[in-house]
Amino acid sequence: VQLQASGGGLVQAGGSLRLSCAASGTIFGIYTMGWYRQAPGKRRELVATVSRGGTTHYADSVQGRFTISRDNAKNTVVLQMNSLKPEDTDVYYCNADVLSTPFREQNYWGQGTLVTVSS
C-alpha cells in the first residue's frame, strides 16, 4: 500500500491550497484518513482526520479554515486549506488506517508535501 500526496506549494497569507492523497495497492478497506504536519525539530501534529463514515476532527488551530473530505470509492482524501497563515508553513503528511488483507489493519504514511505561506 502506498499513499501519494500532492498539492503543496507556495502561497501568500490569506490564500488557499488544496492537498490530495491517494492510496493504492491491495486495499480491502480504509478506516480513518487524515493529515498531519511537522516543522523541523518539532513533533508531527494532527491537522485533521475523517472517518470512513465522514466524521471529521480538526486541530483547534485550523478549525474553520481547513476542510477535510474523502472519496471512499477512489481511496482519496483531500485537505482544502483556506485563509492560510504563515504559521501553517510545514511539511504535510497524509495518513491512513488500511486493511491490507481482510484481517490485517496497518497504518500508513504518505511522503510529505511542503506548504509554505509567505507573509
Side-chain angles (χ1 to χ4, degrees), residues 26-96:
T26 302
I27 297 172
F28 287 81
I30 302 178
Y31 295 120
T32 301
M33 302 185 81
W35 290 92
Y36 293 71
R37 64 188 183 187
Q38 186 173 23
K42 294 188 177 181
R43 295 181 63 179
R44 192 169 296 185
E45 63 177 18
L46 180 147
V47 176
T49 62
V50 57
S51 71
R52 184 171 181 83
T55 300
T56 57
H57 173 73
Y58 297 93
D60 289 343
S61 58
V62 307
Q63 181 76 47
R65 299 187 298 121
F66 291 9
T67 302
I68 189 170
S69 60
R70 64 187 285 173
D71 185 326
N72 290 332
K74 297 180 179 180
N75 292 331
T76 57
V77 61
V78 170
L79 185 69
Q80 177 65 44
M81 304 185 294
N82 299 327
S83 302
L84 282 160
K85 304 175 181 180
E87 51 264 42
D88 293 318
T89 295
D90 269 326
V91 177
Y92 285 70
Y93 298 87
C94 63
N95 180 270

Side-chain angles (χ1 to χ4, degrees), residues 1-2 5 11 22 30 37 48 54 57 69 77 81 96 99-100 104-105 114 118:
V1 175
Q2 290 187 330
V11 65
I30 302 178
R37 64 188 183 187
H57 173 73
S69 60
V77 61
M81 304 185 294
L99 274 174
S100 54
R104 184 179 184 185
E105 178 184 343
L114 178 63
S118 63

